[in-house]
Amino acid sequence: MPVSKLVGTKVKRREDPRLVQGLSHYVDDLRMADVMHAAILRSPHAHARINGINTDAARALSGVVTVLTGADIGDSVGSVPCAAANPTLRTPPHPVLAQDEVRYVGEPVAVAVAGDSYTARDALDLIEVDYEPLPAVSDLEKALQPGSPLVHSQWDSNQAFTFECGTGDMDKARAEADVIVKQKFIHQRLAPIPVETRGVVARYFPGEDELTVWSSTQIPHLLRAMLALMLNFPEHRIRIIAPEVGGGFGCKLNVYREEGLLAHLAMKLKGTVKWIEGRRENMQATIHGRGQVGTVEAAVKKDGTILGVTYDSLLDTGAYHQLLTPGMPPLTGLMISGSYKIPTLKFTSTGGFTNKVATDAYRGAGRPEATLVIERTLDLIARELDMDPVELRRKNFAQPSDFPLQVATGLAYDSGNYQAALDRALEMVGYQDLRAEQQRLREQGRYLGIGFSTYVEICAMGPSAALPAGGWESGTVRMDFTGKATVLTGVSPHGQGEETTFAQIVSDDLGVPIEDVAVLHGDTAVVPNGIGTFGSRGISVGGTAVYMATQQVREKAEAIAANVLECSTDDLEFEDGKFTVKGVPDKGITIQEVALQAHVATKLPAGMEPGLQATSVFEPSNFTFPFGTHICVVEVDTQSGEIEIKKYVAVDDCGKVINPMIVDGQVQGGIAQGLGQALLEEVVYDEDGQLVTGSLMDYAVARAEDLPQLEFDRTETPSPVNPMGVKGVGEAGTIGSTPSIVNAVVDALAPFGVKHIDLPLKPEKIWRLCQGGNK
Amino acid sequence: MIPAAFDYIVPDSLEAAAASLAEAGDNGKVMAGGHSLLPMMKLRLAQPGVVIDLKRLDSLRRIQVDGGTLRIGALVTHHQVETSSEVKDNCALLARVAGSIGDPQVRNRGTIGGSVVHGDPAADWPAALLAMGAELTLTSSGGARSMAAGDFFLGPLTTAIEASEILTGLSVAVPAAGTRAAYRKVKQKASGFAIVGIAVCLQADGDTCTDVGIGVTGLAGTPFRATAVEDQLRGKALTADNITAAAAGVADGVDALDDIHASGEFRAHLARLNTARAIQDALGG
Amino acid sequence: MSNTTTIQVRVNGVSRTEEVQPRLLLVHYLRDVLGLTGTHIGCETSLCGACTVMVDGAAVKSCTLLAVQTDGCEVETIESLATDDGLHPIQEAFWDCHGLQCGFCTPGMIMATRQLLQENPSPSEEEIRHGLEGNICRCTGYKHIVDAVKQAAEQMKAGT
Ligand SMILES: Cc1cc2nc3c(=O)[nH]c(=O)nc-3n(C[C@H](O)[C@H](O)[C@H](O)COP(=O)(O)OP(=O)(O)OC[C@H]3O[C@@H](n4cnc5c(N)ncnc54)[C@H](O)[C@@H]3O)c2cc1C
Ligand code: FES
Ligand code: FES
């Protein structure tokens, strides 16, 4: 094994110079000749029948190329796909433009194409739609009650699917328990809000009969397959390019109407068509995250032993399924055990159609719900038993010796040392002193709270058996004539820094300078196959594929080197990019020279193919399970309802670390979103399905001032699932942080008899809870 | 994101601007910083046929102290007010309020005049101008007039300005030495506008309140001066109890705004709480 | 209806004369007419700061300005910062401190930082966070951005 030089160190990101200079190309930055601009007219109604659309005036506007409605498109473009497998699933048709009915505010109704974006926008004002409003249902629980307005009239209810998992006998657990703790949870809808909205440029080449689509997506290869199906056009004649992508957080792990629509327009108009989503469209028509309601029940012994937990939940699917909508509850269900040994677990979920945009994967995707439920439940139990929440956690933690840990949800956790992360975090925060301080302040009428989240999450998505469209990832490593290395990866980074981390791996293992390693991604014509970036899989699945390909390249290089040096491979040492004969240090050949030899192809071992490259497709045998402890300390102003975070400590364990700077960045960014969920963010629809938080004027995301100073540390428990021992870190901060903040606030308000608060913890809610006075 | 088309005029003088405005009638809008008008035009909530850009009217960009009066031109930006030494030395409250508006980029462009005329019920300026009893100067082709800030704000996005008038500036009496002031703003977390904003300007002799002005924004559809609270404080000792008791009346009889960010009841509570806290701040600072 | 006005603007040191519709937003003028696509668009309500540029030395949101309002002005965009000698210290600091992930907010963030340091060459942590209140970053959690601004401040003071 070569010595790690770069792996594990802070290597500055190689993608940054272009980004800090504004020289990169996001979809909207692509400059193409003769591009036409599309603007989309969207439904202002949550539910309405379309009796007619008059596009005459819009078509007549100078500069307008065409205006299309759902009727014009008919069945020439297929339904937007849903890939989640579930036998109970009801899948409504999901056309690129509404056909006869609109079912959520923001549903695309017509598209205007013009020579410039201003004219396209003007044309929308000239389209007249005759809507006949229909009864709408916005509230999830109401939608699932008998007699609710139906989102899709072909079914007799709004039930979209059911799902359950878990094992054990809950009745027995209840019977043996000393205490039963029950709590309802509302997981509000969240808007992912990448700062770059979605955008699509589609170009059709009539001569070649080829279609190229640039899309701000996390999954170029999957998008190509899905578009092929939607358009009934051969997959091999479609090229998808994800150029620079300005954040995704799950919402670009999807296939959207606009991608099908723009491709269709390009083919119909035999040219190039562009659409860039506005932020208000983004709030209306890009998926939302979370949107669950559920009730937990825990059966517990007096000493704190948790015998069983059930969580019965509903998922607000929205009006149509997006790619993975029904796939979110399983992720909640599978992770409901948290980091605890709970012999009996039962999870149920029912999806309900509502007149709202679909929910789907948003950073964490189903796991934040599980973590919030179990971490809050632990605190509820601690309160009920009058136990320190830390003691209760210790009591129920899985121990290092338990791994691989078979969990009652059916998963096997790979590795973990929960106690170590907790201990480190407690030490950093100064726990015992804090409790004393809390007591002291309470006497002065000040309310300090300490909240824990000893989370575990599921990453490295994942074994193909567990995913709807493959969980493997591809990596190709190639050295060319001149000794430069090119890496092709099927993951599609959009901020995660794989151009750097993958190059670190290759540079170390091939002994080439990192400047000589190029990492290419996001283009189906360049990268032979792939799945994409989501589920914290970049390093653990994509990186592993690259790692394995790198080993193969080195083995081949070694064989060539041995042949050139006329020795056996066993006689060779490899260091600093040079193969030398053991004991004869001046007899050697650099890997660059080997690369040249591989291409000149005159000194290859008999039967060896020329060239120096390898492709590996890594199929993980299991998920990985990163974990950690987040501790949040808050002070609540019970008069204004405001929450001040006094201290925040995070100790995360994502296995082996390739680049600590990037890992820190992922955790910090994740915490900002988890904090947003806890304190600020909430998509609000009114009862009639009107979107109240329709822009950033009403939907708050965290700004620099909203974040406290954070203190970090790490423990490092390698994963046995992949050769590098990495786990993944993209979602940990989001999943781990939210519960610690809520638990802290509930702890602060204990003197007011507060046991639970649903998110977000807005000042008015807090103030109302304190109105009863200190109990 | 894309405004509807309009004609664009850049007059060289106040007279020319007034004439253009008179000619355009209801179809015309003057533009100062454009930081309220343009956002509305981008959403096509406003679609003026003619936009009259005041940017060449440099005479409206001045801050002056003459005698006991601080005069601020309508085109003075929030940032200018925030950083002006004339303002900081003579009337620190205005600088503080200016600094609480939006963000640095917004403060660089948005003007005090534009904010006042726009009449957003959650804007910050009205609180300060009401607390200080500012006078506004308005000009049209027909001549000029002045008006007390207290008479100017009529309702959400509605003020007493005539369609043909241009606000040229405003003035406040430079507060007597020893005047204390404070501004408390509870921000709407998404937009940064005020859920409530309370400006207090207060004079005391020992611990007795001799005079006080309190301006309230965000609470109601129209910003207002909390005269009842002022009356209750004047002549009283500024004890915590007296302050709380007086502040408790700030929302009485007010039809509080109610939205997803704060119910009417909570806004009223915040107004009471922050009136008391603003007075305390003024005394402390 | 689509009347046009001639404007003259100096953009990154180069004088430009252009016929534009009065309704053309500055950000579209920079991006679509001049091809300076480093200035981004992240919202429709002037709240994200991705479009921040300098007009006559002051940071502004170019989505909330008409191009015609900048007639006669000096406009600087992110593309103006680096020189043949290399990156601007703020750019360098964002790189060093990992002050960006997807990079979409970054040009605006850097321009806002420029204004911040212009007005306050030695900002405290609190002042930095406050000074960036007009800019949203959804990726970084801001900590590394704050670190970058601190480093840039140090560097720029040392450099002058
Ligand atoms: C992102 C953002 C955040 C903001 N946050 C806040 C905040 O926290 N608090 C706050 O108070 N404000 C806030 N504002 C509003 C900001 O302060 C505006 O600058 C101000 O409200 C309007 O000033 P302006 O010069 O831009 O006016 P413009 O937009 O040019 O004009 C506004 C209105 O006033 C009229 N008008 C302008 N000047 C005159 C004049 N001299 N005579 C007659 N009519 C005139 C116009 O015709 C128009 O109807 C925010 C704005 C933005 C974009
Ligand atoms: S695009 Fe200008 S502030 Fe968001
Ligand atoms: S780096 Fe992605 S939004 Fe800031």
Side-chain angles (χ1 to χ4, degrees), chain A residues 639-775:
Chain A
Q639 293 188 62
S640 68
E642 265 159 40
I643 294 161
E644 186 195 349
I645 297 182
K646 313 276 284 187
K647 210 167 184 169
Y648 194 102
V649 167
V651 177
D652 297 282
D653 192 321
C654 60
K656 277 289 206 197
V657 169
I658 307 291
N659 186 327
M661 175 189 81
I662 287 179
V663 165
D664 287 348
Q666 289 294 314
V667 172
Q668 290 160 16
I671 290 174
Q673 289 183 9
L675 173 137
Q677 173 175 355
L679 300 180
L680 302 169
E681 298 183 37
E682 179 174 32
V683 173
V684 180
Y685 283 90
D686 71 11
E687 243 174 83
D688 303 322
Q690 282 298 325
L691 178 60
V692 183
T693 49
S695 76
L696 293 180
M697 290 293 281
D698 289 301
Y699 189 92
V701 300
R703 289 173 187 270
E705 280 183 295
D706 295 319
L707 279 144
Q709 303 234 16
L710 308 169
E711 288 171 53
F712 294 98
D713 202 359
R714 265 195 297 275
T715 57
E716 199 169 294
T717 310
S719 171
V721 174
N722 56 64
M724 290 188 293
V726 293
K727 288 197 167 186
V729 72
E731 291 157 296
T734 305
I735 292 168
S737 58
T738 314
S740 73
I741 300 169
V742 195
N743 280 340
V745 173
V746 173
D747 181 52
L749 298 183
F752 295 85
V754 174
K755 288 189 176 155
H756 180 73
I757 318 177
D758 279 312
L759 307 180
L761 306 171
K762 291 206 173 166
E764 178 160 0
K765 247 186 230 173
I766 304 297
W767 170 71
R768 285 191 187 280
L769 287 168
C770 300
Q771 281 311 86
N774 189 328
K775 287 180 183 144

Side-chain angles (χ1 to χ4, degrees), chain A residues 697, chain B residues 21 28-39 54 60 74-75 78 100-103 106 109-120 122-126 138 161 165-168 185 187 191-194, chain C residues 45-47 61 64:
Chain A
M697 290 293 281
Chain B
L21 189 56
K29 271 278 178 197
V30 300
M31 177 178 274
H35 269 49
S36 289
L37 183 56
L38 206 45
L54 301 183
L60 308 189
L75 291 185
H78 311 320
S100 78
I101 296 173
D103 55 55
V106 168
R109 291 301 298 192
T111 68
I112 189 167
S115 172
V116 170
V117 176
H118 189 59
D120 191 312
D124 294 289
W125 278 127
L138 303 158
I161 196 167
E165 282 180 318
I166 293 170
L167 176 73
T168 52
K185 174 178 184 177
K187 276 193 192 182
S191 70
F193 277 82
Chain C
T45 49
S46 315
L47 285 163
K61 292 178 172 175
T64 317

Side-chain angles (χ1 to χ4, degrees), chain B residues 1-283:
Chain B
M1 178 82 182
I2 297 169
F6 53 84
D7 288 328
Y8 178 70
I9 301 174
V10 195
D12 283 318
S13 67
L14 187 56
E15 296 69 41
S20 298
L21 189 56
E23 192 184 331
D26 284 348
N27 198 27
K29 271 278 178 197
V30 300
M31 177 178 274
H35 269 49
S36 289
L37 183 56
L38 206 45
M40 305 233 318
M41 289 169 63
K42 281 166 62 184
L43 306 185
R44 301 205 175 188
L45 298 172
Q47 302 198 14
V50 182
V51 169
I52 301 155
D53 191 342
L54 301 183
K55 68 178 180 182
R56 291 202 189 130
L57 308 189
D58 286 333
S59 62
L60 308 189
R61 236 182 273 282
R62 283 190 215 124
I63 300 175
Q64 280 170 292
V65 184
D66 68 51
T69 305
L70 172 67
R71 292 181 202 285
I72 301 180
L75 291 185
V76 168
T77 62
H78 311 320
H79 178 258
Q80 262 177 292
V81 179
E82 182 187 4
T83 52
S84 146
S85 51
E86 280 95 343
V87 176
K88 285 199 273 195
D89 294 349
N90 292 291
C91 191
L93 174 65
L94 293 182
R96 192 144 352 129
V97 170
S100 78
I101 296 173
D103 55 55
Q105 293 96 313
V106 168
R107 296 195 288 276
N108 279 336
R109 291 301 298 192
T111 68
I112 189 167
S115 172
V116 170
V117 176
H118 189 59
D120 191 312
D124 294 289
W125 278 127
L129 300 182
L130 289 164
M132 302 204 60
E135 283 283 318
L136 311 179
T137 318
L138 303 158
T139 295
S140 70
S141 320
R145 62 171 176 147
S146 70
M147 183 183 264
D151 298 326
F152 189 72
F153 301 105
L154 302 180
L157 307 187
T158 314
T159 66
I161 196 167
E162 299 287 337
S164 61
E165 282 180 318
I166 293 170
L167 176 73
T168 52
L170 53 91
S171 60
V172 294
V174 172
T179 300
R180 280 101 172 264
Y183 184 59
R184 277 243 169 192
K185 174 178 184 177
V186 179
K187 276 193 192 182
Q188 198 264 65
K189 280 295 207 174
S191 70
F193 277 82
I195 286 180
V196 297
I198 311 283
V200 171
C201 204
L202 171 149
Q203 284 161 34
D205 183 2
D207 62 2
T208 304
C209 173
T210 54
D211 200 9
V212 59
I214 298 173
V216 181
T217 191
L219 176 60
T222 316
F224 63 94
R225 189 163 172 164
T227 44
V229 182
E230 295 172 3
D231 291 346
Q232 205 180 325
L233 278 175
R234 253 181 234 111
K236 288 257 177 64
L238 290 164
T239 61
D241 285 349
N242 284 344
I243 292 170
T244 311
V250 71
D252 290 357
V254 174
D255 186 10
L257 293 174
D258 192 319
D259 60 27
I260 57 162
H261 304 291
S263 69
E265 188 188 354
F266 187 53
R267 267 200 171 75
H269 163 73
L270 287 177
R272 290 188 285 267
L273 178 68
N274 286 288
T275 300
R277 286 182 173 180
I279 296 168
Q280 297 286 10
D281 287 352
L283 293 173

Side-chain angles (χ1 to χ4, degrees), chain A residues 209-224:
Chain A
D209 191 23
E210 282 175 7
L211 175 71
T212 300
V213 177
W214 291 261
S215 183
S216 184
T217 182
Q218 302 172 220
I219 46 164
H221 289 88
L222 290 181
L223 174 59
R224 179 176 59 166

Side-chain angles (χ1 to χ4, degrees), chain B residues 1 42, chain C residues 40-52 61-64 134:
Chain B
M1 178 82 182
K42 281 166 62 184
Chain C
H40 298 151
I41 300 172
C43 70
E44 294 177 281
T45 49
S46 315
L47 285 163
C48 76
C51 62
T52 302
K61 292 178 172 175
S62 62
C63 70
T64 317

